[in-house]
């Protein structure tokens, strides 16, 4: 039986306003080749100007991942010829990266595990090749987008560990605000280095599978490559060091090319850019600006807001959810009710098909208003779902939606009393059971009244009326 060893290289696009060496907009999508200029299109003779925000974000990441920050780092040209790279070199960092060492903690099956980070460097993204109908086209909108590369040590030993680690890393990157980490849009991409060996023996030859863009692809490609390498070795063969491609639709990996070694890229120092020199004060200034991470937020939710640990962990799994919760709880002063509603309604509604991400379409202020409307009995919980649908990604206020949709619940006790009486008359045997002391049928009767009044009654009031009517009869 072979044991697998995995090391990951994660490419993460930074969420800066402009590209790394020019003023072009850094934004996903857009008409092809509309966010381009002579610099990011690789015209001869142009000069790059460094975007300091990209350096700051990389240092912020290094600090959050416990790295040593280099006071002095420099740029290098990584030369290769491929149409997505207009200059025929990628401006990257070779021997002096911005961050070295470090580690990430992640959780798997309730245990805290650690992956060591080897280095984090900054480089520029390449353009995107589009192959359609036998024609290939190139979109350079992505060319020159700041790209941070995080390289781990080979500390992972299963597909489950790889995915749990990636999930933990993704969460940190989103919390510190350096990237939107949307795997389906390519702002987070993962290369997997994998080798197998019998326990106790030295590491085998590794292969690298490139550009995996979902947790599912990472998992399946690892299992595929592990089986493939075991098969080769069991048949008496040897593993070739190579770069591989993953076909996600077919769930199959292919050999792409023999693995390049560093010398194949003819790295040399970039003559058009000054080295990056960071003072201790500057690094401290960046450290102070790191937003609160998951751990701290869990502590605040459980200790200050009185939430169960279970809630705190679910709410902090995604920064957008955590921000929504905090904003809502700042206005609506019942954190547990806010938590319950977010964990049920908001997370269900925000879940996107085939994606790990949650999309939030409601502001903290609007959510606090909805919760207040439920709490004060203006709308029922059931009706709040229609209100949520109405205000999701829109400009209408919850109260306006309640009025427009006629969702105000019936709190007129005279009208409600006649509805309750009708239900009791129509369900005589249930009413008898209730009178005989079977409290459980109360919920059934309340349900019948809610149904008869199309969900517009206040269930608490209905319960009180049933009790009153059946006790005095
Ligand atoms: Zn440009
Ligand atoms: Mn790279």
């Amino acid at each position: 039986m072979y044991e697998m060893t995995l090391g990951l290289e994660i490419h993460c696009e930074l969420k800066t306003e402009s590209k790394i060496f020019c003023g072009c907009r850094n934004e996903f999508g857009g008409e092809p080749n509309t966010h381009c200029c002579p610099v990011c299109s690789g015209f001869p003779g142009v000069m790059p100007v460094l975007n300091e925000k990209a350096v700051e974000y990389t240092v912020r990441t290094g600090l959050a991942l416990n790295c040593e920050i280099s006071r002095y780092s420099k740029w290098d040209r990584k030369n290769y010829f491929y149409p997505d790279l207009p200059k025929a070199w990628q401006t990257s960092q070779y021997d002096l990266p911005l961050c070295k060492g470090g580690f990430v903690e992640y959780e798997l099956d309730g245990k805290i595990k650690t992956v060591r980070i080897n280095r984090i460097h900054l480089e520029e993204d390449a353009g995107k090749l589009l192959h359609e109908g036998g024609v290939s086209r190139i979109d350079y909108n992505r060319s020159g987008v700041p790209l941070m590369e995080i390289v781990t040590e080979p500390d992972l030993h299963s597909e489950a560990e790889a995915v749990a680690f990636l999930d933990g890393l993704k969460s940190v990157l989103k919390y510190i605000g350096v990237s939107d980490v949307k795997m389906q849009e390519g702002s987070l991409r993962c290369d997997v280095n994998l080798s197998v060996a019998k326990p106790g023996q030295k590491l085998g030859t590794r292969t690298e599978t490139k550009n995996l863009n979902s947790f599912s692809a990472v998992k399946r490609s690892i299992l595929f490559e592990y089986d493939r390498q075991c098969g080769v070795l069991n048949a008496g063969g040897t593993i070739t060091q190579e770069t591989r491609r993953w076909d996600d639709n077919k769930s199959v990996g292919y050999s792409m090319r023999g693995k390049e070694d560093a010398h194949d890229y003819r790295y040399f120092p970039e003559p058009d850019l000054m080295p990056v020199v960071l003072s201790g004060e500057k690094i401290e200034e960046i450290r102070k600006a790191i937003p609160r991470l998951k751990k701290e937020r869990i502590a605040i939710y459980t200790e200050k807001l009185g939430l169960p640990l279970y809630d705190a962990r679910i709410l902090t799994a995604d920064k957008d959810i955590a921000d929504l919760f905090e904003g809502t709880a700042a206005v609506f002063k019942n954190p547990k009710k806010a938590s319950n509603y977010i964990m049920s309604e908001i997370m269900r509604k925000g879940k996107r098909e085939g994606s790990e991400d949650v999309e939030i379409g409601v502001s903290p202020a609007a959510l606090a208003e909805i919760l207040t409307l439920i709490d004060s009995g203006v709308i029922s919980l059931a009706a709040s779902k229609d209100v949520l649908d109405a205000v999701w990604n829109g400009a209408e206020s919850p109260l306006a939606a309640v009025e427009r949709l006629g969702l105000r619940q019936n709190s007129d006790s005279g009208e409600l009393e006649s509805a309750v009486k009708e239900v009791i008359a129509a369900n005589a045997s249930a009413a008898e059971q209730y009178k005989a002391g079977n409290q459980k049928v109360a919920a059934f009767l309340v349900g019948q009244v809610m149904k008869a009044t199309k969900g517009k009654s206040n269930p608490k009031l209905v319960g009180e009326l049933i009790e009153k009517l059946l006790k005095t009869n």
Side-chain angles (χ1 to χ4, degrees):
M1 192 60 188
Y2 293 97
E3 186 188 48
M4 72 166 98
T5 296
L6 304 162
L8 306 185
E9 289 168 27
I10 296 106
H11 281 98
C12 172
E13 285 180 348
L14 297 174
K15 205 173 65 174
T16 52
E17 298 281 319
S18 53
K19 292 186 178 181
I20 186 169
F21 298 126
C22 62
C24 291
R25 208 141 39 98
N26 171 16
E27 188 183 81
F28 178 76
E31 279 295 303
N33 301 307
T34 54
H35 302 165
C36 300
C37 72
V39 173
C40 56
S41 308
F43 284 28
V46 295
M47 291 295 274
V49 177
L50 176 63
N51 179 346
E52 282 178 20
K53 204 79 193 165
V55 172
E56 193 180 315
Y57 281 179
T58 306
V59 171
R60 189 190 288 183
T61 305
L63 292 169
L65 303 186
N66 314 290
C67 298
E68 182 198 325
I69 309 302
S70 307
R71 296 291 194 92
Y72 181 94
S73 66
K74 69 170 177 61
W75 304 97
D76 299 280
R77 290 187 179 179
K78 179 181 182 178
N79 299 277
Y80 65 92
F81 192 72
Y82 203 63
D84 64 0
L85 196 62
K87 297 180 297 188
W89 78 80
Q90 179 190 34
T91 303
S92 181
Q93 298 192 292
Y94 180 49
D95 55 339
L96 294 174
L98 272 166
C99 316
K100 288 173 286 190
F103 63 89
V104 180
E105 283 183 342
Y106 69 99
E107 198 183 311
L108 180 61
D109 299 331
K111 287 196 201 89
I112 302 292
K113 300 192 164 196
T114 304
V115 174
R116 288 168 301 150
I117 301 293
N118 174 287
R119 61 184 272 156
I120 305 175
H121 70 252
L122 188 53
E123 58 192 27
E124 57 184 337
D125 208 346
K128 206 192 268 175
L129 287 169
L130 306 157
H131 310 281
E132 276 170 357
V135 187
S136 292
R137 295 187 174 87
I138 310 169
D139 176 7
Y140 286 124
N141 282 352
R142 207 179 67 179
S143 172
V145 165
L147 192 65
M148 180 171 72
E149 181 172 336
I150 303 171
V151 182
T152 78
E153 296 290 354
D155 288 347
L156 296 154
H157 295 284
S158 71
E159 74 290 353
E161 285 187 355
V163 168
F165 158 73
L166 271 180
D167 196 30
L169 177 67
K170 194 177 145 192
S171 160
V172 172
L173 296 175
K174 194 163 174 185
Y175 268 106
I176 62 175
V178 299
S179 172
D180 57 15
V181 292
K182 288 185 180 162
M183 291 190 89
Q184 76 279 9
E185 289 182 3
S187 61
L188 191 76
R189 316 192 287 266
C190 181
D191 303 344
V192 175
N193 288 287
L194 185 152
S195 66
V196 303
K198 293 245 164 78
Q201 291 187 347
K202 75 174 179 65
L203 295 183
T205 303
R206 66 190 164 95
T207 62
E208 179 178 20
T209 302
K210 285 192 109 58
N211 282 331
L212 300 162
N213 60 5
S214 71
F215 286 173
S216 151
V218 168
K219 197 181 250 179
R220 285 178 291 126
S221 71
I222 288 172
L223 291 172
F224 175 90
E225 183 58 11
Y226 172 74
D227 284 346
R228 189 191 70 84
Q229 290 193 15
C230 292
V232 169
L233 293 174
N234 286 335
T238 50
I239 305 299
T240 315
Q241 183 178 336
E242 62 186 359
T243 300
R244 300 180 61 86
R245 184 171 66 85
W246 174 249
D247 183 330
D248 204 39
N249 294 323
K250 295 188 185 140
S251 273
V252 177
Y254 297 96
S255 175
M256 219 160 85
R257 54 176 189 252
K259 169 74 188 171
E260 299 85 354
D261 280 316
H263 63 252
D264 294 324
Y265 290 117
R266 299 180 294 116
Y267 277 101
F268 65 87
E270 167 64 62
D272 291 343
L273 285 161
M274 297 289 283
V276 180
V277 180
L278 293 166
S279 67
E281 293 83 62
K282 179 67 187 170
I283 294 170
E284 277 320 299
E285 191 187 299
I286 297 171
R287 189 195 302 277
K288 284 200 191 100
I290 297 179
R292 276 209 309 267
L293 296 175
K294 192 168 166 177
K295 240 187 194 168
E296 288 169 78
R297 295 201 191 205
I298 289 178
I300 292 170
Y301 296 2
T302 53
E303 289 159 23
K304 291 212 178 117
L305 300 176
L307 286 191
L309 182 59
Y310 174 83
D311 292 42
R313 294 169 77 135
I314 290 182
L315 294 173
T316 54
D318 185 279
K319 178 176 183 280
D320 291 346
I321 298 278
D323 287 346
L324 176 67
F325 167 72
E326 288 176 28
T328 304
V331 183
F332 178 77
K333 299 287 182 190
N334 187 328
K336 180 56 185 154
K337 276 191 184 169
S339 163
N340 288 347
Y341 199 80
I342 290 172
M343 290 196 300
S344 52
E345 299 313 320
I346 303 293
M347 292 183 76
R348 178 187 54 76
K349 200 166 164 50
K351 193 98 200 108
R352 282 182 44 175
E353 193 82 33
S355 158
E356 286 96 15
D357 304 317
V358 181
E359 298 262 316
I360 307 293
V362 64
S363 69
L367 182 56
E369 188 177 332
I370 292 174
L371 291 168
T372 306
L373 289 168
I374 300 170
D375 221 36
S376 56
V378 177
I379 55 170
S380 66
L381 182 63
S384 78
K385 295 175 193 179
D386 296 331
V387 178
L388 197 58
D389 284 341
V391 304
W392 198 262
N393 285 332
E396 195 173 27
S397 82
L399 190 59
V402 167
E403 304 303 357
R404 180 172 61 80
L405 299 167
L407 294 171
R408 213 172 249 282
Q409 50 182 7
N410 189 353
S411 291
D412 176 335
S413 52
E415 204 178 307
L416 195 54
E417 194 164 322
S418 52
V420 174
K421 279 180 178 161
E422 276 171 38
V423 165
I424 290 174
N427 296 278
S429 80
E432 285 309 314
Q433 286 175 44
Y434 180 91
K435 279 197 228 173
N438 184 351
Q439 296 288 327
K440 281 185 195 155
V441 297
F444 166 76
L445 291 169
V446 171
Q448 293 303 306
V449 175
M450 294 305 289
K451 203 167 148 190
T453 56
K454 299 193 167 60
K456 284 193 201 168
S457 298
N458 181 333
K460 195 161 159 260
L461 206 55
V462 173
E464 286 166 9
L465 277 169
I466 290 171
E467 194 185 337
K468 190 182 99 186
L469 291 168
L470 290 177
K471 285 252 163 79
T472 51
N473 267 356

